[in-house]
């Protein structure tokens, strides 16, 4: 095991070897091969090319060097193309802070039985008067940046549960094709995270309609990992055990506290008076 694999449990090391083709003997060589490709894209400012950073892209693409490099290039390209999104890219930015405090995203305390982090979104919490959908996307990307520092999550990945209860048609009307495309590009095509499942629960008919709009923009692999459960929480429980879910998802734990993850990111600044409130 190299120092780059420090922080991985023996089980996760074995998983990285079997599922991701990670080999400690060739790790530095793998990283260097990706780094050597940077000169092929002089149009992109690669702001980070250190070993630990490149490794997360290799893990996200199962150590296929070219695929890992393409993801690395798209990561920085996305930031170059959407400069406004990343101008004040920190938890204390007013829009991001409000989104975080409303649970965009939330993170459950327990990992699932595959060691994946469970992110939750309660769509109806969106307060349109205080922050935009872009702020929600920024808050999610910022949260993923913090979480992906954990090498266990680089290997095991994430699961996302979106609860659409009480999400109004008026709110849904703001989910324009261009906004949805921006989110898909940011999460599916430009971020080094492995998403093992995206679960919709309690979705109304107009969310089904929206899904048919975005489906063509999704990779086949992503499509296979999207589950539309409706009101059938039993089908959710077959994939994520109710023992680790809050009561909103028919789980055995108390209701989810929306501020849990926000308090982690914001720390003592969570309770600061915000002029936007």
């Amino acid at each position: 095991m190299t120092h780059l694999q420090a922080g991985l449990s023996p089980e996760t090391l074995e998983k990285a070897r079997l599922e991701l083709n990670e080999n400690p003997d060739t790790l530095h060589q793998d990283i260097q091969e990706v780094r050597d490709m940077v000169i092929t894209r002089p149009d992109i400012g690669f702001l980070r090319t250190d070993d630990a950073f490149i490794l997360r892209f290799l893990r996200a693409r199962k150590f296929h060097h070219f695929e890992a490099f393409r993801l690395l290039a798209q990561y920085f390209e996305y930031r170059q193309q959407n400069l406004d999104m990343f101008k004040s890219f920190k938890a204390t930015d007013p829009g991001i802070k409000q989104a975080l405090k409303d649970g965009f995203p939330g993170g459950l305390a327990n990992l699932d039985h595959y060691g994946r982090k469970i992110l939750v979104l309660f769509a109806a919490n969106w307060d349109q008067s205080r922050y935009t959908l872009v702020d929600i996307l920024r808050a999610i990307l910022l949260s993923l940046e913090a979480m992906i520092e954990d090498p266990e999550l680089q290997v095991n990945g994430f699961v996302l549960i979106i609860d659409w209860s009480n999400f109004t048609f008026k709110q849904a009307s703001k989910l324009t094709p261009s906004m949805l495309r921006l989110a898909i590009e940011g999460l599916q095509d430009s971020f080094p995270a492995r998403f093992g499942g995206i679960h919709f629960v309690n979705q109304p008919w107009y969310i089904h309609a929206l899904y048919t709009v975005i489906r063509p923009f999704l990779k086949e692999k992503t499509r296979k990992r999207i589950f539309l459960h409706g009101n059938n929480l039993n089908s959710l429980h077959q994939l994520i055990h109710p023992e680790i879910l809050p009561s909103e998802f028919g789980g055995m734990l108390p209701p989810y506290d929306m501020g849990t993850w926000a308090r982690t990111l914001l720390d003592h600044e969570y309770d600061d008076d915000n002029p936007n409130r």
Side-chain angles (χ1 to χ4, degrees), residues 151-208:
E152 287 276 321
L153 296 182
Q154 292 173 20
V155 175
N156 292 323
F158 299 85
V159 172
L160 178 61
I161 307 176
I162 307 175
D163 186 352
W164 297 98
S165 303
N166 305 315
F167 189 70
T168 65
F169 189 78
K170 185 184 173 190
Q171 286 174 310
S173 69
K174 300 287 195 299
L175 294 170
T176 61
S178 61
M179 179 63 226
L180 292 167
R181 195 176 301 130
L182 186 70
I184 291 164
E185 284 172 3
L187 295 165
Q188 173 188 258
D189 303 326
S190 312
F191 197 85
R194 307 181 69 217
F195 283 97
I198 299 165
H199 302 270
F200 286 15
V201 296
N202 302 313
Q203 71 275 8
W205 66 267
Y206 39 87
I207 294 303
H208 274 282

Side-chain angles (χ1 to χ4, degrees), residues 64-79:
H64 296 150
H65 297 160
F66 182 72
E67 290 297 317
F69 173 71
R70 189 158 68 174
L71 183 62
L72 177 71
Q74 285 171 184
Y75 173 92
F76 287 114
E77 194 171 22
Y78 183 76
R79 277 150 180 73

Side-chain angles (χ1 to χ4, degrees), residues 2-4 24-33 35 51:
T2 79
H3 74 281
L4 286 167
D25 298 332
T26 60
L27 206 52
H28 288 280
Q29 187 185 329
D30 292 327
I31 291 167
Q32 192 55 47
E33 288 205 23
R35 191 185 287 118
D51 288 359

Side-chain angles (χ1 to χ4, degrees), residues 108-113 116 118 240-246 251-253:
L108 301 189
N110 296 300
L111 304 174
D112 78 355
H113 54 296
R116 301 181 296 203
I118 303 171
I240 305 174
H241 300 158
E243 290 83 359
I244 61 171
L245 290 174
M252 297 179 184
L253 298 180

